[in-house]
Amino acid sequence: MAPTSIADSDPFVDPIATGNDHEYAEGSTLPVGRNASLTLATDSLIVLGAQLSGKKPCTEDILTPLQMKTSRDEQRAIAAVYGLPAKTTQAIPFFSILWAELSDFDITIQYAKTTSKDVVRVASVNYFVEKPQESYATSWVAKLLDRAYGESQRRKRMKVLINPFGGKGSAQKWYLRDIEPIFAAARCEIDVERTLYQGHAVEIAENLDTDAYDVIASCSGDGLPHEVFNGLGKKTDATAALSKVAVVQLPCGSGNAMSWNLNGTDSTSMAALCIVKGIRTPLDLVSITQGDKRTLSFLSQSVGIVAEVDLGTEHLRWMGSARFTYGFLIRLLRKTVYPCDLSVKIDIPSKAQIKEHYRRELTNHAPIDDRRGCSYSETTGLPPLTHGTIASPLPSSFTPVPSDKLGNFFAGNMALVAPGANFFPATLPSDGHLDLVTIDGDISRTSAIKSFLAVENGNFFDMPHVNYRKISGYRIIPKGQKGGYISIDGERVPFEGFQAEAHRGLGTVLSRSGHLYEAEGVLPRAGRGA
């Protein structure tokens, strides 16, 4: 008869920790209260039995849509082992556990509990621990926190910026209701400041003591993170500051692309949980030179139909996200073209090569310092521009691209530019490349509409008339037009030529995975289906 493993015979044992580590397996369960226990399972904390006297019994609570793999059948089996009814079984994903501590023989575990589809609220379980178990309980709590946080830093020190005009004036309310309780339960150190005018976040970040904070969190749309990156970029030790302090977004604006890409949500409470558990991740930043000015871009740059739809429909904000659809279709019917002179530093020219590049990154779990790709430690301010500025002679490494009939020029550093708008499925946070999409403006209206629909259904990348390249720099100069729109991270800049250059891993953010965006990529990743 084949030997039975611990994992086969005991549903409480974490299969990852089986093998010969019998001592660890035995240390996974903590008896508490009367006929109750807390067990470290594979992906979750299993709570069996009633809480302290006077409190309601635990009920099954599976925090969705966060990852939770303990099935209902498993939970019933676990309860059966201890002779308890299944309704007293509670499964709390490690990802949702905010903090745990033992004080005066009471163990308290605070976690984020689902209250509706996209909302989590702080909840807790509390039990009495017998005195002989105190030492063991202390080590068990340490194991729980190790499981709960993994690579993520605990008790993050955060500078929180609130745009009081964000979310139609609701940012302050959302912060107090949805975000602050989660940060407090996770024992984060919080310093809150409200921005008073456009550009205020630039000043705050420029003057920030980067030794005192781990994170700058913006309760806003994408505009405030753009300001924060540029404020850090103005510091005398800009490269060190950008690598030291992670920039994150708590989605409280009309454009929340940063949160969608890094957290996979625009829910304020879910985003707060994701930031508490976020893993430090290097992020490519892009230097934009226009006139005599140099700025940093973290999201995207666009000229043509996307820029017009983004910036030319501000008067239709009352339509919500539908304004983008309306603006896009109107311009498609007009078959508008945006002629320009375009030259590009092409790094990966074909879609097949881009897919192979993306495939390699799916299994890349290198440490954060290795993922930056190069060191900026010897640089005091921003890194020098390898290709010069817009005023410099055209770099010899740039290839001219015919663009007299250009309909759309869109360069992206993140996959999603809006919910469901995955224009750049091959983007990676720190591969040193921008993803460039160009489409001619004189394609048929049928092809144009198919392109629009393909963005949402995931077929955009493979469409034959969509030119998709990975690049590290470009120069674009509009021509034959009296005026128009250029968008940098959703902000309007003068309608004149500019040059862009990517810097690998110059910035830092927090993400769920540590190396990928939450959007669907050009290839499926493990656990997301074929």
Side-chain angles (χ1 to χ4, degrees):
M1 184 176 178
T4 302
S5 70
I6 296 173
D8 291 334
S9 61
D10 188 347
F12 293 96
V13 174
D14 184 347
I16 298 172
T18 53
N20 295 321
D21 194 2
H22 185 70
E23 181 181 352
Y24 183 85
E26 289 181 340
S28 295
T29 297
L30 175 66
V32 291
R34 298 180 60 185
N35 300 320
S37 68
L38 305 172
T39 297
L40 305 178
T42 305
D43 297 288
S44 61
L45 169 67
I46 305 298
V47 182
L48 290 177
Q51 299 187 59
L52 284 171
S53 175
K55 297 189 178 181
K56 294 181 179 180
C58 295
T59 55
E60 185 183 78
D61 175 32
I62 301 179
L63 182 56
T64 57
L66 299 178
Q67 295 177 349
M68 170 60 203
K69 300 179 182 177
T70 305
S71 70
R72 291 178 183 265
D73 288 341
E74 265 187 292
Q75 292 164 30
R76 293 189 185 99
I78 289 168
V81 170
Y82 280 75
L84 296 169
K87 68 179 181 180
T88 65
T89 304
Q90 184 179 18
I92 306 174
F94 288 136
F95 187 85
S96 68
I97 292 174
L98 301 169
W99 199 250
E101 61 187 11
L102 182 67
S103 177
D104 296 328
F105 305 108
D106 274 355
I107 185 170
T108 301
I109 300 169
Q110 292 180 288
Y111 65 100
K113 176 182 178 180
T114 297
T115 58
S116 63
K117 181 181 177 182
D118 295 316
V119 176
V120 293
R121 294 283 184 255
V122 176
S124 65
V125 291
N126 181 267
Y127 290 94
F128 178 75
V129 176
E130 297 289 346
K131 187 172 182 179
Q133 294 279 0
E134 182 181 14
S135 177
Y136 173 62
T138 300
S139 64
W140 185 92
V141 167
K143 288 181 182 179
L144 172 60
L145 288 174
D146 286 343
R147 295 288 194 91
Y149 279 86
E151 295 179 61
S152 179
Q153 177 190 351
R154 304 177 197 176
R155 305 183 73 163
K156 296 176 176 72
R157 303 169 301 164
M158 298 190 193
K159 178 74 173 182
V160 176
L161 305 181
I162 299 177
N163 175 7
F165 307 105
K168 298 180 180 178
S170 297
Q172 171 74 15
K173 179 183 71 176
W174 293 341
Y175 173 75
L176 294 174
R177 184 191 66 191
D178 302 336
I179 299 166
E180 185 181 49
I182 291 175
F183 287 171
R187 306 302 191 268
C188 296
E189 297 179 25
I190 306 299
D191 175 20
V192 179
E193 186 167 352
R194 287 151 190 80
T195 57
L196 304 177
Y197 45 85
Q198 187 174 5
H200 191 193
V202 175
E203 299 172 9
I204 293 170
E206 182 179 5
N207 295 310
L208 190 78
D209 178 3
T210 55
D211 290 327
Y213 299 96
D214 306 305
V215 177
I216 304 179
S218 297
C219 296
S220 65
D222 295 310
L224 232 57
H226 174 85
E227 289 190 15
V228 170
F229 278 122
N230 279 280
L232 294 174
K234 289 179 176 292
K235 296 179 76 69
T236 55
D237 61 343
T239 53
L242 286 162
S243 66
K244 186 180 296 184
V245 181
V247 178
V248 302
Q249 180 196 41
L250 292 154
C252 295
S254 57
N256 300 309
M258 188 179 199
S259 183
W260 274 111
N261 282 285
L262 298 172
N263 304 323
T265 182
D266 67 348
S267 159
T268 47
S269 59
M270 292 282 287
L273 173 59
C274 290
I275 287 168
V276 164
K277 295 301 182 73
I279 300 170
R280 287 177 60 83
T281 306
L283 180 72
D284 296 340
L285 295 178
V286 182
S287 282
I288 305 294
T289 60
Q290 188 178 50
D292 59 358
K293 187 177 181 181
R294 178 183 182 180
T295 57
L296 295 175
S297 168
F298 77 94
L299 180 58
S300 64
Q301 310 94 49
S302 60
V303 180
I305 191 168
V306 171
E308 275 207 25
V309 169
D310 186 15
L311 301 173
T313 58
E314 287 290 314
H315 63 292
L316 301 174
R317 276 189 175 270
W318 58 271
M319 296 178 65
S321 60
R323 73 183 174 97
F324 297 106
T325 303
Y326 171 80
F328 193 89
L329 292 175
I330 289 295
R331 286 157 180 80
L332 282 181
L333 294 174
R334 294 175 182 167
K335 299 184 71 170
T336 310
V337 296
Y338 306 84
C340 65
D341 290 324
L342 174 64
S343 297
V344 180
K345 172 71 169 63
I346 301 173
D347 302 320
I348 307 179
S350 76
K351 293 179 181 179
Q353 290 172 307
I354 289 171
K355 284 186 175 181
E356 181 56 33
H357 174 78
Y358 189 88
R359 184 191 307 277
R360 290 193 297 269
E361 184 60 25
L362 288 177
T363 56
N364 183 1
H365 299 286
I368 182 170
D369 290 337
D370 294 345
R371 303 183 65 77
R372 292 196 189 275
C374 54
S375 173
Y376 299 112
S377 58
E378 297 181 1
T379 306
T380 53
L382 290 174
L385 294 170
T386 304
H387 304 303
T389 72
I390 184 65
S392 305
L394 184 68
S396 58
S397 58
F398 281 28
T399 301
V401 177
S403 302
D404 286 342
K405 296 182 178 180
L406 183 70
N408 184 40
F409 172 94
F410 204 5
N413 196 39
M414 291 186 173
L416 293 162
V417 296
N422 190 358
F423 276 93
F424 305 106
T427 48
L428 295 163
S430 57
D431 66 350
H433 306 293
L434 275 167
D435 285 29
L436 175 63
V437 169
T438 56
I439 302 175
D440 289 340
D442 61 350
I443 62 173
S444 69
R445 291 187 177 93
T446 300
S447 295
I449 292 173
K450 285 181 179 179
S451 299
F452 175 72
L453 297 174
V455 173
E456 289 196 5
N457 65 31
N459 297 323
F460 182 73
F461 178 87
D462 292 312
M463 300 194 79
H465 58 270
V466 174
N467 300 304
Y468 198 113
R469 312 171 182 91
K470 279 192 174 285
I471 67 173
S472 53
Y474 65 85
R475 177 180 294 184
I476 185 168
I477 303 174
K479 64 180 184 181
Q481 304 168 72
K482 294 181 179 180
Y485 295 95
I486 297 175
S487 173
I488 308 294
D489 293 352
E491 303 296 320
R492 187 174 184 178
V493 300
F495 190 69
E496 60 186 57
F498 66 94
Q499 183 162 305
E501 179 176 325
H503 307 288
R504 184 178 181 186
L506 177 60
T508 306
V509 292
L510 299 177
S511 71
R512 294 279 300 267
S513 71
H515 70 122
L516 296 169
Y517 292 124
E518 290 302 297
E520 293 296 329
V522 288
L523 295 170
R525 69 179 82 169
R528 294 204 176 187

